[in-house]
Amino acid sequence: MKPRVLVTRKLPDAVEARLRRDYEAILNPTDTLYTSEEIIKKAVGMAAILPCHTEKFTAEVIARLPECVKIIANFSVGYDHVDVDAAKKRGLIVTNTPDVLSDATAELTMMLMLGAARRASEGERLVRTRQWKDWSPSFMVGVQVTGKRLGILGFGRVGQVVAERARGFDMEIHYHNRRRVAPELEKGAIYHATPEELMVHCDFLALHCVASPETNGLLNAERIALLPDGAVVVNASRGSVIDEDALIAALRSGKLYAAGLDVFINEPAIRPEFRELTNVFLMPHIGSATRETRDGMGFRALDNLDAFFAGKAPGDRVA
Ligand code: 8YV
């Protein structure tokens, strides 16, 4: 008998085809967003759940999942939506989908840097609303990305690909990471032992750390104050790593030249100030949203399920 898998969102066709072939998959063709109560109910009789970051597995939800659920195979690299300690205590296996989305997320990060620095939101709005009237030497002047110093906070898989792409813009790479990485991965990037030491070297700061209680509000008012005046901040990791009050204040005061944001503390109900500020380039959490990557994420989640149901250790186990 094929294992029963609850799939919480509509996944790419090729992923769903493989799901149907190898599992008794309960799909969500209308892509309805389920509440925790609905997930708990739908999980009855399931051996596995394949969720996205839109479904929250708090300790309470995990405690109420039926005993038959043995594995949560996430369709995401980030797993801050799952209480991994609660999962571990219950013996529930949790996996994620690393690597396959590093290129797409790094692309989006470059877009955020370019969009913020070159005032993409303002420019696009001018053209679309027919308010583009003229050209002058001072019209829509932004700041240049090429040759600037880029600080990367969190030098894991995505951070390292961002460094690689940024080298194409002749950027000087600085980074902070919990552990210094090997020289062959640094490729000349300059390591700073603390976030504070990194800050002073960042014309551009890109956040690529894992969301956790330790990184909550990591970019706060004190650390923003250490950035050079006129720095640009971009975030394609998780909203929680930035103190949004501090960020908004720095964007208003001009301490920061601009920000490029793909993630927010409250999604999609973001702080209204972000919509009003002209010096923010906003995206709706689409870091991994390419056809190639979404297929890759689904296949990776399925590889983890396949391994588990074959009695092997899933490659991407996080709990
Ligand atoms: C996904 C992401 O869109 O993988 C992640 O952690 O943030 C995004 O790539 C989303 O999480 C899918 O569940």
Side-chain angles (χ1 to χ4, degrees), residues 149-154 174-177 190-209 217-234 241-242 255-256:
R149 296 169 300 174
L150 169 63
I152 301 178
L153 191 47
H174 295 252
Y175 79 98
H176 166 72
N177 197 49
I190 302 157
Y191 175 67
H192 300 277
T194 64
E196 286 72 19
E197 284 167 49
L198 173 68
M199 292 297 135
V200 298
H201 301 283
C202 302
D203 300 315
F204 286 77
L205 172 66
L207 297 155
H208 292 293
C209 46
L218 182 62
L219 187 65
N220 57 16
E222 292 73 36
R223 294 196 175 110
I224 290 175
L226 296 171
L227 289 167
D229 289 345
V232 174
V233 169
V234 300
V241 304
I242 296 185
K255 165 69 191 176
L256 293 178

Side-chain angles (χ1 to χ4, degrees), residues 8-233:
T8 63
R9 304 298 304 264
K10 169 128 187 62
L11 297 182
D13 291 346
V15 176
E16 292 200 342
R18 194 172 135 184
L19 265 162
R20 277 197 213 93
R21 187 192 66 192
D22 299 338
Y23 293 92
E24 192 181 325
I26 313 305
L27 302 176
N28 180 356
T30 53
D31 202 29
T32 308
L33 195 57
Y34 299 145
T35 63
S36 297
E37 290 302 322
E38 286 169 322
I39 287 176
I40 292 164
K41 272 200 205 118
K42 286 177 189 291
V44 173
M46 299 295 144
I49 304 180
L50 200 164
C52 294
H53 80 278
T54 41
E55 287 75 56
K56 313 284 175 235
F57 291 87
T58 60
E60 199 220 319
V61 172
I62 287 174
R64 293 180 56 208
L65 284 178
E67 272 303 314
C68 51
V69 176
K70 301 294 178 212
I71 176 168
I72 296 180
N74 287 297
F75 180 89
S76 68
V77 66
Y79 50 90
D80 48 303
H81 57 289
V82 181
D83 187 325
V84 284
D85 290 333
K88 276 182 200 156
K89 269 188 210 130
R90 205 198 115 137
L92 184 62
I93 289 175
V94 181
T95 59
N96 70 341
T97 58
D99 298 321
V100 287
L101 42 62
S102 302
D103 284 329
T105 309
E107 278 181 7
L108 199 275
T109 301
M110 294 310 296
M111 178 171 143
L112 293 176
M113 283 169 49
L114 294 163
R118 300 300 300 271
R119 303 170 59 175
S121 284
E122 280 177 87
E124 226 238 0
R125 204 171 313 129
L126 280 176
V127 179
R128 279 186 190 277
T129 58
R130 298 172 197 263
Q131 290 180 66
W132 174 30
K133 303 281 183 225
D134 194 9
W135 181 93
S136 84
S138 59
F139 176 60
M140 282 284 304
V141 172
V143 294
Q144 194 143 313
V145 172
T146 303
K148 295 285 171 63
R149 296 169 300 174
L150 169 63
I152 301 178
L153 191 47
F155 206 63
R157 288 171 269 235
V158 178
Q160 289 171 29
V161 180
V162 169
E164 203 58 46
R165 303 294 169 264
R167 285 185 191 104
F169 281 83
D170 295 333
M171 298 187 93
E172 183 181 285
I173 313 298
H174 295 252
Y175 79 98
H176 166 72
N177 197 49
R178 276 171 298 179
R179 280 176 301 275
R180 183 169 183 172
V181 305
E184 61 271 23
L185 299 178
E186 273 184 350
K187 299 185 184 166
I190 302 157
Y191 175 67
H192 300 277
T194 64
E196 286 72 19
E197 284 167 49
L198 173 68
M199 292 297 135
V200 298
H201 301 283
C202 302
D203 300 315
F204 286 77
L205 172 66
L207 297 155
H208 292 293
C209 46
V210 168
S212 69
E214 294 76 49
T215 60
N216 196 42
L218 182 62
L219 187 65
N220 57 16
E222 292 73 36
R223 294 196 175 110
I224 290 175
L226 296 171
L227 289 167
D229 289 345
V232 174
V233 169

Side-chain angles (χ1 to χ4, degrees), residues 237-302:
S237 59
R238 283 291 182 267
S240 64
V241 304
I242 296 185
D243 173 340
E244 291 185 341
D245 279 331
L247 180 68
I248 289 165
L251 287 164
R252 277 194 176 136
S253 71
K255 165 69 191 176
L256 293 178
Y257 177 74
L261 305 172
D262 183 48
V263 287
F264 306 85
I265 291 176
N266 266 325
E267 296 175 6
I270 66 165
R271 294 275 300 263
E273 293 94 324
F274 287 130
R275 288 194 209 99
E276 284 147 24
L277 285 160
T278 48
N279 54 347
V280 261
F281 179 57
L282 302 168
M283 281 289 134
H285 197 144
I286 55 157
S288 65
T290 66
R291 290 179 188 169
E292 297 83 348
T293 288
R294 288 287 158 86
D295 281 354
M297 290 165 74
F299 296 149
R300 187 99 178 201
L302 285 174

